[in-house]
Amino acid sequence: MKRLLIVAHAPSPNTRRLREAAERGARHPDIEAINVVVRPPLEAGPDDVRTCDAILLGTPENLGTMSGALKDFFDRSYYAVLDDTRGLPCALYIRAGHDGTGTRRAVEGIVTGLGWKWAQAPLTLRGEWQDAFEVQVEELGMAMAAGLEAGVL
């Protein structure tokens, strides 16, 4: 069974709703052959990355960049997985109170260095909270799991 790892920082009620939406989409009842593992960034590490077949990252925009928790995950994992995970399919959602540009750029730089491949362009959820954000992240989780199950990722 293939494994989708969701590493998402969720310090607020709205970011928790997004992480739950990603998991809900990935666990859609029509997707049966995917093991979904959800970890907060401070609990995820190199072993989780090495044993997954795709990764979905989630972060709020904090001071114009990714959360410190997601940065910590990358700091602890980067060199440990660098040679083992090239080509790993990945996706990202950003909950941005502003424009999310700095956050996107920071994560893209790390993903490029790791040699991971984007399953789709990062999803940036900008501005005031909208319930539609949950729908978009749920669809992203579903697309990642379905793509992994179908063998297109």
Side-chain angles (χ1 to χ4, degrees):
M1 186 175 281
K2 292 187 179 178
R3 183 175 184 201
L4 173 62
L5 175 63
I6 299 173
V7 177
H9 188 53
S12 70
N14 285 341
T15 53
R16 279 191 295 280
R17 288 170 64 182
L18 295 177
R19 183 176 62 200
E20 290 165 0
E23 181 176 8
R24 189 170 51 250
R27 294 185 189 279
H28 189 279
D30 291 340
I31 303 168
E32 299 174 351
I34 299 299
N35 179 21
V36 179
V37 177
V38 181
R39 298 259 193 276
L42 295 175
E43 295 176 19
D47 290 339
D48 294 304
V49 178
R50 277 192 215 95
T51 59
C52 76
D53 298 288
I55 187 168
L56 173 55
L57 305 164
T59 185
E61 174 185 55
N62 286 355
L63 303 172
T65 191
M66 74 184 91
S67 70
L70 189 62
K71 176 69 167 63
D72 176 78
F73 162 73
F74 282 127
D75 286 344
R76 289 180 293 103
S77 302
Y78 188 93
Y79 290 108
V81 304
L82 183 60
D83 295 328
D84 303 327
T85 61
R86 294 210 175 270
L88 181 71
C90 69
L92 167 70
Y93 68 85
I94 301 164
R95 173 61 190 111
H98 298 291
D99 73 355
T101 303
T103 306
R104 180 178 174 157
R105 191 174 324 130
V107 175
E108 284 177 333
I110 293 168
V111 165
T112 297
L114 286 166
W116 294 356
K117 67 176 185 180
W118 290 106
Q120 74 169 53
L123 172 62
T124 304
L125 310 161
R126 292 183 179 89
E128 294 294 317
W129 174 262
Q130 301 170 36
D131 290 337
F133 292 163
E134 277 185 89
V135 174
Q136 291 174 286
V137 173
E138 185 172 345
E139 289 173 353
L140 176 59
M142 188 183 320
M144 288 293 291
L148 194 55
E149 183 180 54
V152 296
L153 294 182

